[in-house]
Amino acid sequence: MTDAALTVAEQAAIQRRTVLVLSIGQVLGGIAFGATVSLGALLAADLSGDDALSGLATASVTLGAALCAIPLARLAARVGRRRALTLGNMFALVGIAVVILAASLRVFPLLLVGILMIGAGNAGNLQSRFAATDLAAAQHRGRDLSIVVWATTIGGVAGPLLLGPGEIVGEAIGMPPQTGSYAFSFVAQCAALLLYLVALRPDPLLSAQRLATAAVAATGVAVADRPVVARYAIFAVAGSHVVMASVMAMTPVHLAHMAHGAHGMAPTPADVSALVGITIALHVGGMYALSPLFGILADRWGRLRVVLLGQLLLGGALAFAVLVNDEEWGVMVALILLGLGWSAATVAGAALLTESSAPEVRTRRQGRSDSLMSLSAAAGAVLAGVVLSNFQYAGLGIAASVIVLAIVVLSPLGRAKP
């Protein structure tokens, strides 16, 4: 049976299987990314001999995602999601091998190349959430997208948890120190690649393109393109991501300063690590745990309303960051709200971008959104360090609130007519 002849029930069944496959792929693919985030800075500091260069690991993985987002999206538009996603997996596999080789040879620039390629693979992971919308019914688009976003947290949490077992396995098979968990990452990426090749059939994007073509031929009515709305959605997603990434990146530094200034005594490194770990864990929980709820709300309330709900939550987070930043509980509440606001804005903004773009330009805009999101977050994290050093944590909260205000003020663009 051709795509054009699919019944509603058959299309819904294919969509359910697609979302399941993408979610499992996100779990598998996220393991490599989680391990890189955890180990990249440590390996960079070790191989370079300079702690100041450890941040280049994070910069490399972000740059890799930004550089490959648009090419992978264009590839998907031509040959389908399956090939684009598997190419992302292949980038990550090569990147893992290069990282292990760099650690073995102790070559710092080679390490950055490997981490950049893992970041390129993560561009495929980002694309998965849009793949979940290709065949989704309009009334379930936000929900389906959010389920795949939610699955990200499993791989992201599993990656760091595998560090200890990974070192045991790595030592047993002769891998360089601090690279053992990449053995698990390599296996997970291979499994994700095979999963997409075998199970992501029919290809959701190619099927959606054929359905759209058949619908136009039958009715003579093409899907309206709303470029102004699409540009606003890209801005809202990128802006929300900048607010989240910049404040989150500087929170460990602020908490360390707080801990050293509390009670008139120096805390132990374990105390600082525990405080930072608990706070960031709560933040990550806020980012992903409720994403299905925000997806359902986006379907029922409308995309723009949930984008604005995200700005309300981000605004609340920044208020705590400005007014209660000298209390540990205040910072924790700020980071939880920060994660929740990011989740609402990202899920609803991605759905708004998808449905406001005509099929022929949709994947290209999705790639631009992912690329801009990664690049702006990297720039925001760098600028956040400057703001923190000169204006403290409260100043960072005030600076970030300007972006939230801009997203709210420009929100009428999210309702613009074609």
Side-chain angles (χ1 to χ4, degrees):
M1 180 176 291
T2 64
D3 293 316
L6 287 176
T7 66
V8 174
E10 289 168 339
Q11 184 176 336
I14 293 173
Q15 173 64 5
R16 286 194 296 271
R17 186 171 70 248
T18 297
V19 171
L20 176 61
V21 170
L22 291 171
S23 298
I24 296 172
Q26 281 290 89
V27 174
L28 294 170
I31 291 176
F33 187 67
T36 299
V37 170
S38 302
L39 288 175
L42 296 176
L43 284 170
D46 180 40
L47 297 189
S48 68
D50 186 353
D51 288 348
L53 297 179
S54 62
L56 290 179
T58 301
S60 295
V61 76
T62 303
L63 181 62
L67 291 177
C68 283
I70 293 176
L72 281 180
R74 289 179 174 175
L75 179 66
R78 292 196 303 271
V79 300
R81 297 287 190 191
R82 184 172 64 252
R83 294 184 184 180
L85 293 177
T86 53
L87 180 59
N89 290 134
M90 292 174 66
F91 280 143
L93 284 170
V94 174
I96 291 168
V98 171
V99 165
I100 295 171
L101 177 63
S104 178
L105 300 176
R106 300 195 63 77
V107 178
F108 177 60
L110 187 62
L111 173 73
L112 296 183
V113 172
I115 293 176
L116 186 143
M117 295 192 70
I118 293 174
N122 191 52
N125 277 358
L126 290 173
Q127 191 180 116
S128 292
R129 73 191 194 281
F130 288 121
T133 68
D134 291 334
L135 285 173
Q139 65 269 28
H140 298 309
R141 186 173 288 134
R143 182 200 63 187
D144 291 353
L145 183 152
S146 66
I147 290 172
V148 175
V149 171
W150 179 85
T152 305
T153 191
I154 301 175
V157 171
L161 291 178
L162 290 173
L163 298 189
E167 283 307 297
I168 296 174
V169 172
E171 184 178 357
I173 62 178
M175 294 179 67
Q178 297 182 328
T179 64
S181 65
Y182 281 114
F184 297 137
S185 299
F186 192 87
V187 172
Q189 286 292 336
C190 287
L193 189 150
L194 291 174
L195 175 72
Y196 290 141
L197 283 177
V198 173
L200 197 60
R201 296 173 183 272
D203 187 283
L205 181 56
L206 296 182
S207 296
Q209 290 172 343
R210 287 190 286 267
L211 285 169
T213 300
V216 172
T219 65
V221 179
V223 176
D225 186 48
R226 297 186 290 165
V228 174
V229 176
R231 284 194 290 269
Y232 172 78
I234 292 173
F235 171 68
V237 169
S240 300
H241 194 63
V242 169
V243 172
M244 184 279 294
S246 58
V247 176
M248 184 270 291
M250 293 301 106
T251 295
V253 178
H254 175 65
L255 289 173
H257 290 166
M258 282 177 56
H260 282 85
H263 311 302
M265 61 181 69
T268 66
D271 292 335
V272 175
S273 296
L275 176 60
V276 171
I278 291 171
T279 304
I280 298 302
L282 291 171
H283 169 67
V284 172
M287 288 176 66
Y288 295 111
L290 297 184
S291 57
L293 172 61
F294 291 127
I296 293 171
L297 289 178
D299 290 334
R300 294 183 177 179
W301 292 358
R303 321 303 184 197
L304 185 59
R305 288 182 179 179
V306 179
V307 168
L308 293 176
L309 172 62
Q311 304 317 301
L312 177 63
L313 291 167
L314 289 174
L318 297 177
F320 273 92
V322 172
L323 302 174
V324 203
N325 63 74
D326 55 347
E327 298 286 347
E328 293 177 1
W329 68 267
V331 177
M332 288 181 181
V333 171
L335 267 289
I336 293 170
L337 291 174
L338 193 72
L340 292 171
W342 175 89
S343 182
T346 300
V347 167
L352 180 63
L353 171 61
T354 297
E355 66 186 18
S356 63
S357 300
E360 61 270 18
V361 297
R362 185 173 295 159
T363 52
R364 183 166 67 248
R365 286 178 183 165
Q366 290 168 346
R368 288 174 182 171
S369 178
D370 284 344
S371 181
L372 180 61
M373 186 174 71
S374 296
L375 286 174
S376 59
V382 172
L383 293 175
V386 176
V387 174
L388 182 71
S389 63
N390 288 280
F391 302 102
Q392 301 183 341
Y393 200 67
L396 177 60
I398 293 172
S401 66
V402 175
I403 300 176
V404 173
L405 181 62
I407 295 172
V408 173
V409 170
L410 294 175
S411 62
L413 298 177
R415 299 188 181 92
K417 299 296 182 181

